[in-house]
Amino acid sequence: MERFIEVEPGVRLWAEESGKPDGEPLLLVMGANAAGLAWPDPLVAALGREHRVIRYDHRDTGRSSRVFHDQPYPITRLASDAIAVLDGLGLARAHVAGMSLGGTLVQLLVLDHPDRLLTATLWSTAALGAWSPTDGESRALPGPDPALLELWQHMADPRDREAELDWRVAHWRLLRGDGPFDADESRRLEERIIEHSGGHENPAAHALADPSGLDRGPELAKVRTPTLVIDARKDPVNPPPHAEHLASVISGARLVVVPELGHALGSDVVPALTEEILRHTRR
């Protein structure tokens, strides 16, 4: 079931519920500049056998309001939006799972809204404050693949639809790291997202948003929400040992490895990812 949720005056987010209607809610929080449809249907369906699954479009993605260029907002506002989605659906608490920037947002949720979370699952992300220039240990962590840094410089360049599709497929190829990559699968996904969004333009809003308020790594030691960190061994954005570092700074976090997981979700990693998420939410 699809619906729109007004999170503040003039800003509404597209959301979709599926799966087991009476199952415990599971909110999926996607990464930067990515629509909710970037969550693969097979993953959503597999999780839905046990959960009421919610995926949604961040503001400035998919069918949600495009507001950044007129009303700039900080990254932290996206975490508030996640709670607004729960409010809009009348959900007091939910399991939450996030990857990439979504993992950053889930860390903010376990700090600021622990009463709303049943469990938290994170992967392909860095600990809050991991890039702080005052933290010597974090400074030693490896950065993204230089090829990605170069590609990101052209994220918002104007392109026609076919050129944009080519750029997105090339982006997914790099995000898979040295794991297996299905270009046709990625292209079909992006064609769906473009149709869902009503256009192919990428405003790159989240890349431009103010990142202040994310340097809160020391607070993670006080987390009490049951947290799973999945080590995506082929992640070229937050490569090892980022996951180990993240699990070490979150109080009580459990670390598991999905060897073929990168910074993108192909059908080949869905079974292992599903198994780890469900094993955690059952606990």
Side-chain angles (χ1 to χ4, degrees):
M1 180 176 64
E2 301 178 43
R3 61 182 294 179
F4 286 93
I5 298 169
E6 187 171 17
V7 297
E8 62 184 59
V11 180
R12 64 178 194 165
L13 305 183
W14 174 88
E16 177 193 70
E17 295 181 84
S18 62
K20 189 176 180 181
D22 60 348
E24 290 183 330
L26 170 59
L27 179 70
L28 301 177
V29 187
M30 186 33 75
N33 304 300
L37 289 193
W39 292 106
D41 286 346
L43 175 65
V44 174
L47 296 173
R49 288 196 287 269
E50 297 190 23
H51 289 285
R52 175 183 174 186
V53 180
I54 301 105
R55 59 180 171 178
Y56 68 101
D57 292 337
H58 294 297
R59 59 178 74 198
D60 286 283
T61 73
R63 294 183 184 173
S64 292
S65 299
R66 305 293 178 106
V67 296
F68 183 80
H69 291 296
D70 294 325
Q71 306 171 46
Y73 51 82
I75 290 294
T76 53
R77 182 65 57 81
L78 301 178
S80 301
D81 284 349
I83 294 299
V85 170
L86 296 182
D87 290 342
L89 296 175
L91 299 174
R93 302 181 74 195
H95 301 278
V96 293
M99 65 170 289
S100 191
L101 177 67
T104 301
L105 302 179
V106 172
Q107 290 176 69
L108 294 176
L109 297 183
V110 298
L111 292 179
D112 296 334
H113 302 280
D115 57 315
R116 306 298 300 275
L117 274 58
L118 295 169
T119 67
T121 303
L122 318 166
W123 69 93
S124 299
T125 193
L128 294 176
W131 306 116
S132 168
T134 62
D135 185 340
E137 179 183 0
S138 297
R139 275 209 313 275
L141 293 168
D145 183 337
L148 275 168
L149 295 176
E150 169 60 26
L151 191 67
W152 290 341
Q153 296 301 312
H154 304 283
M155 183 180 297
D157 289 358
R159 290 179 284 267
D160 63 26
R161 183 180 184 278
E162 288 306 306
E164 177 64 19
L165 277 169
D166 290 342
W167 187 94
R168 294 187 189 187
V169 171
H171 189 211
W172 285 123
R173 185 185 300 276
L174 287 175
L175 290 174
R176 281 307 303 267
D178 61 357
F181 177 71
D182 186 332
D184 291 336
E185 179 180 64
S186 292
R187 195 173 192 89
R188 289 192 298 270
L189 171 64
E190 287 299 342
E191 287 173 340
R192 276 190 67 206
I193 290 174
I194 287 174
E195 181 179 0
H196 169 76
S197 304
H200 68 273
E201 296 81 6
N202 184 349
H206 304 160
L208 302 173
D210 179 3
S212 61
L214 301 181
D215 190 11
R216 300 176 61 186
E219 297 177 50
L220 295 171
K222 301 177 182 178
V223 168
R224 294 295 177 264
T225 301
T227 301
L228 173 68
V229 176
I230 300 175
D231 189 344
R233 285 293 171 88
K234 296 185 181 296
D235 182 0
V237 180
N238 301 292
H242 270 280
E244 292 181 23
H245 174 71
L246 177 59
S248 73
V249 298
I250 297 178
S251 177
R254 189 166 59 93
L255 179 69
V256 299
V257 175
V258 175
E260 295 302 315
L261 184 59
H263 204 89
L265 300 176
S267 58
D268 58 300
V269 299
V270 165
L273 188 59
T274 300
E275 180 181 356
E276 296 300 347
I277 294 172
L278 292 180
R279 180 180 291 133
H280 181 56
T281 59
R282 290 176 192 137
R283 292 165 68 99

